[in-house]
Structure formats: structure tokens, C-alpha cells
Amino acid sequence: MDIETAFHTVGEFGPYQKRAVAALVLVQVYMACQSMLVVLVGYTPEYRVDQPADGPSSHVTFTEEADSIVTEWVLVRQQAYKVSLAGSLFFTGLLVGNVVFGPLSDKIGRRPVYLTGLLLEVIFGYVTAMAPSYEVFAASRLLVGLMNGGIGLVCFVLTQEYVGKSYWAMTGTLNSMIFAVGIALFGALGYFIRPWRTLAMVANSSGVLFFLMSVTLPESPRWLYSQGQTERAEEVLLYMAARNGSKASHLMLQRVGAAKPGSPVRNGGGVLQLVLHPVLRLRTMVLMYVWYACSLVYYGLTLGAGDTSGSRFVNVAMYGLVELPAYPLCIYFINQSWAGRRKSMATFLCLAGCACLCSTLIPENTGTLLSVTSLALLGKLMVSAAFNIAYVYTSELYPTVIRNAGLGVCSMSCRVGGILAPFVPSMRALHASMPFTVFCLSGLSAGCLGLLLPETLNRPAAETLEELSSPSRGRVLESKALLYEDERWKSNHT
């Protein structure tokens, strides 16, 4: 039997898989705390600068009671950029982690990469909490981001590969929902724990619990099967069957060989095809910008939560909780024939841009329901839905043989948006409306470009590049020139 038939036999989402998936998705709480850490520990309280009459030196006095990296290392005025820099270093780590850990988990397995990355992230998280200087703090944020990006990708894959294919959409959405809950919990934790070192220590300690919960998890049976290790895959599946209460006592998977060393996808030719193939090239360019814009707006609004009016703790919690309605919304719309993936993603991106545009027209500190904060929350709701659709949509737009490469490239552009996001809220120094103007233009432009992509709802996913090039498949910017170039590509690769 093949691997999908085996999952039907042992149970696609039995009691054991539910416990395993729960252990994995709960790690998103820890990852959310690390992602949002600088929002609270990097808070800049009110201060004044005292200029002595008899000397050129000045002294900074904080007039608001707060304990943060800003008050400890006086990161104001010319040093204020270091707060945003710490946030950008974290997202730089995410970018590198995606690039390194993804292929590594494909090569040596999901489980060892995931457990090692989680353990190292916890260790570096404690370095953050005990950092003796800003330089050590910044370096630790880079390393935490490196591990966070790696285990986030592998954790997402594991939640998919432990269950039957019919449950992939649900487990993928669970990851996003628990991450949003983690943001809200971190806001509540920050309210009760004000000293920044204690907050960082407590938030990081949850990682120890999640690591212990994950130690007993098995290797992915799908990965073992894809590597030709069918006997080990059968052992894992039988272990799942026993824990699920299934009566299956013997499984015989089809014997398949591991991918050949000369395979072009395994040797990096897959990434090259994203540039060489005419359809994939344009499709990838559009998707890279969509992912970049989603990340910039999503993280820009989230990281700017502490700068908007009202309690910074309530704002952080609200920016997390507001995501939750986005997921049932997008699940509903993407499965409707009149909306589908393409129109839903484009509409949510444009609505996010419009919400940010309206934010520039509303005076700050208005006590009405229609305030800058409420419009920013609406924008976060819309971009969260668009981001979730982008994950599903992108995987459907790439053929199976090149799907990992396509997702990897899009994830890299996503991290570039994350790296720039911490600096966007600081553009308030130029003009109060500047951050929302950037978010508005990014959302609207990405939404319009997204309409150039083909619809994938109720259409079979392409398995090979030849299937992608068939006339029955939708194209990005289909034209006579592209058709000619596509035919020329096929003739050169047959």
C-alpha cells in the first residue's frame, strides 16, 4: 500500500496524532513570545534631557516608571535605532533559519532538527534574559531568530506529516491560531511581569516544558517513506496504530527508493527552474512580492502595537486576539466558487491597505469607536487572513517536484519584510501617518498583483513541470510571447 492508504488504515487523525499535533502546535505559544519580546522589553518610556549650564554633556532622565532595555542601556536619541535593530536581527535569524533548517530536515530528518533547534533556542533565550550588555542581547536575538525560523518551518511540516492529507488544512490553520493566542498571552504576561529580564526569563521557560513534551515524538513516517526507509516508516505507523487503538497489526508499504543523487531538484536545479521556467518565473515574482507585503504589514502592525494609543499590554493582546476570526473567515471564502483563493487573497490584502489608509485620515487619541487603533486592528485582521491564504495558495500554485523550492523562496522574501518591519513604526518621526502609508501602499499593490495569479480551487495540483506547461493550466500574464517562450522551454528540456 502507499503512504496515504496506510494512514487510512492506522487512522488519519487518531488520539495519538491529536496528542502529537497538540504538543507541536503549543510550541507556537513559545515562538510567539520570542517574536514579540522586543515589543515589550524594548518599550521607550517618557524622558527628558537635562543640559548642564557648565558643560557640553547632557543627562537623560526617565520621567515614566518602566524597566526595559531602553532604560537599562539608555537607548534614546542617537541610540534609539538599536531597539529596532534588535527586532530586525531576530527576523534576519528567521531568514537564515528557513534557508538552513529546511534543507537540513530534508536530509537528516525532521525530528533531530526540530529537537536540536528547540533546545538551542531555549538556551539562547536565557542568554537574552541575562545579557550583560546590549551587544550580547542583540547577538542572542539573532541566534534565537535563527532557531525560531528553523523549528517553525519543521514544526509546521511535522504537524502535516503526522496526519492524513485530508487534515492538512486544519493542522496548518491550528499553527496560525495558536501563534495568535501566544501573542495575546504574552501581552497578558507582560502586564503582570514588568521587569524586562524577569519577563524574558519567564517567557523563555515555557520552551523547556514544550521541549520535554516533544522528546517522545517519532520521526515523520512520510519523510522516512520518501527516503526509502520503508521498514522504519512501517514501525512508526504501527506505533501510531497501537496508540490509536487500531486493530492493524501488519503494514506493507510499497518499496520505493530514495531520490537519486543526480536528481535536479535535490541538487538545487529545482530552485534554478523558478528562474528558467517562463510560467514559474513570473508566478514566483508575484508570489515573492505578495509574501513580502504580507509579512511587512503583518509584523509592522504587530510590532507597532506598543506605539499606538492606550495600554501597550492591551494593544499587544488585542493584536493577537484579532487574528482569530481571520482563520474561519478565510477557510470559508477560499472554498467558495465565487471567491476562491485568488480573489479572496487579493480582496483581504486590499482591505488591509484600505484600513491602513483610513488610519492616516483619523486624528490620534480619538475616543470614538472609529480610531487609529481600531482601524489598525482591522488591518491586522485582514492581512492575517491574506497571509493564511497565501500559505495554502502558494503550495497549490507550484508542482509537486518543485513545491519545496517555491515555498522556500517565498519564505525568504517573507523574512525580508519581517526584517524591515521593525523600522517602519519608527518612521513616525518623519510624520505620524508615515507607517500606515507604507502599509497601505504595500497591501494595495500586493492585492492588485495577486489578481494576476491563476485560480486553483477545484483544480488538480500539477505534479510535474510538463503538467504546469499544458494549455489547460492557468498562467500568470498569459500572452503570445509567453506561450512561445514556454514552448521553447519544453523543447529544450525534452
Side-chain angles (χ1 to χ4, degrees):
M1 64 179 72
D2 60 20
I3 192 72
E4 287 303 329
T5 306
F7 268 103
H8 282 288
T9 303
V10 304
E12 287 193 281
F13 196 50
Y16 176 77
Q17 285 134 304
K18 290 175 182 176
R19 292 193 296 270
V21 169
L24 289 168
V25 299
L26 284 173
V27 175
Q28 296 294 326
V29 173
Y30 171 68
M31 295 175 63
C33 290
Q34 291 294 352
S35 299
M36 295 296 295
L37 187 71
V38 76
V39 176
L40 295 185
V41 306
Y43 173 67
T44 303
E46 296 291 331
Y47 66 91
R48 69 170 185 270
V49 179
D50 300 318
Q51 188 75 38
D54 57 347
S57 62
S58 58
H59 176 71
V60 175
T61 302
F62 292 97
T63 57
E64 180 184 349
E65 186 178 351
D67 182 4
S68 68
I69 61 172
V70 175
T71 59
E72 181 163 338
W73 295 313
V74 196
L75 303 181
V76 296
R77 305 181 74 189
Q78 290 86 356
Q79 301 296 313
Y81 75 93
K82 291 184 176 180
V83 178
S84 298
L85 178 62
S88 287
L89 285 172
F90 175 84
F91 285 100
T92 302
L94 285 182
L95 169 61
V96 179
N98 283 149
V99 175
V100 173
F101 281 77
L104 189 61
S105 70
D106 285 338
K107 185 175 183 180
I108 68 173
R110 318 298 195 204
R111 184 177 182 273
V113 171
Y114 171 68
L115 292 177
T116 303
L118 181 55
L119 178 61
L120 289 175
E121 181 171 359
V122 171
I123 293 172
F124 294 139
Y126 282 123
V127 174
T128 293
M130 296 181 286
S133 64
Y134 170 79
E135 288 71 23
V136 175
F137 175 85
S140 69
R141 296 316 296 160
L142 175 65
L143 294 172
V144 168
L146 177 68
M147 300 303 144
N148 195 287
I151 67 171
L153 181 64
V154 179
C155 181
F156 178 83
V157 171
L158 275 174
T159 59
Q160 306 275 297
E161 295 184 348
Y162 278 159
V163 302
K165 195 171 183 179
S166 59
Y167 288 91
W168 282 10
M170 186 198 70
T171 55
T173 302
L174 272 176
N175 276 287
S176 301
M177 291 182 68
I178 300 302
F179 187 88
V181 172
I183 294 176
L185 290 175
F186 181 67
L189 189 66
Y191 177 80
F192 292 105
I193 304 175
R194 300 300 176 94
W196 78 267
R197 289 185 183 274
T198 308
L199 175 61
M201 186 76 71
V202 173
N204 189 65
S205 295
S206 63
V208 178
L209 173 62
F210 297 133
F211 175 79
L212 295 175
M213 291 170 60
S214 304
V215 167
T216 58
L217 294 176
E219 182 55 88
S220 162
R222 292 180 184 275
W223 180 82
L224 291 170
Y225 182 71
S226 71
Q227 299 298 305
Q229 302 181 39
T230 50
E231 291 184 1
R232 287 188 60 195
E234 288 166 358
E235 291 176 4
V236 174
L237 288 168
L238 287 172
Y239 176 81
M240 289 182 173
R243 298 300 184 277
N244 286 340
S246 172
K247 296 181 180 180
S249 58
H250 180 72
L251 290 172
M252 180 64 73
L253 293 173
Q254 294 174 355
R255 262 44 187 174
V256 293
K260 296 180 180 179
S263 170
V265 174
R266 189 170 290 276
N267 283 347
V271 177
L272 189 60
Q273 292 300 336
L274 298 178
V275 179
L276 296 178
H277 195 285
V279 176
L280 288 176
R281 180 170 60 247
L282 292 171
R283 192 170 291 185
T284 300
M285 288 170 60
V286 172
L287 285 171
M288 285 179 68
Y289 184 75
V290 168
W291 278 62
Y292 159 81
C294 282
S295 180
L296 181 71
V297 179
Y298 178 92
Y299 286 110
L301 289 173
T302 305
L303 296 174
D307 297 332
T308 52
S309 59
S311 168
R312 62 185 183 278
F313 308 106
V314 174
N315 287 342
V316 169
M318 288 300 298
Y319 272 76
L321 293 175
V322 76
E323 290 186 42
L324 296 180
Y327 302 114
L329 270 178
C330 68
I331 288 174
Y332 171 76
F333 282 109
I334 65 176
N335 291 310
Q336 302 301 311
S337 58
W338 49 268
R341 275 71 158 147
R342 181 176 67 97
K343 292 179 182 177
S344 296
M345 186 184 73
T347 301
F348 280 123
L349 278 168
C350 289
L351 288 175
C354 290
C356 293
L357 173 63
C358 293
S359 298
T360 64
L361 308 176
I362 302 295
E364 290 199 42
N365 300 317
T366 55
T368 61
L369 182 63
L370 192 65
S371 63
V372 172
T373 301
S374 62
L375 287 170
L377 287 170
L378 179 61
K380 177 71 185 299
L381 171 67
M382 295 296 114
V383 78
S384 297
F387 215 162
N388 196 51
I389 295 171
Y391 273 93
V392 177
Y393 192 25
T394 302
S395 65
E396 295 176 345
L397 284 169
Y398 285 109
T400 300
V401 295
I402 208 164
R403 187 166 294 136
N404 281 344
L407 284 168
V409 169
C410 291
S411 183
M412 286 176 62
S413 65
C414 168
R415 300 312 172 195
V416 172
I419 292 169
L420 297 177
F423 289 99
V424 178
S426 63
M427 294 175 70
R428 286 173 174 270
L430 300 175
H431 192 277
S433 64
M434 188 60 70
F436 287 109
T437 302
V438 172
F439 299 146
C440 165
L441 295 176
S442 301
L444 291 175
S445 58
C448 293
L449 279 175
L451 291 172
L452 299 175
L453 296 168
E455 182 54 68
T456 60
L457 178 64
N458 297 327
R459 296 183 184 179
E463 298 293 334
T464 66
L465 296 178
E466 287 72 22
E467 289 182 41
L468 180 71
S469 303
S470 64
S472 61
R473 301 278 176 183
R475 288 183 172 85
V476 182
L477 302 174
E478 186 171 35
S479 65
K480 291 183 179 180
L482 181 55
L483 287 171
Y484 168 75
E485 192 177 355
D486 191 17
E487 291 300 323
R488 187 177 63 181
W489 180 90
K490 285 194 288 185
S491 64
N492 290 337
H493 290 77
T494 54

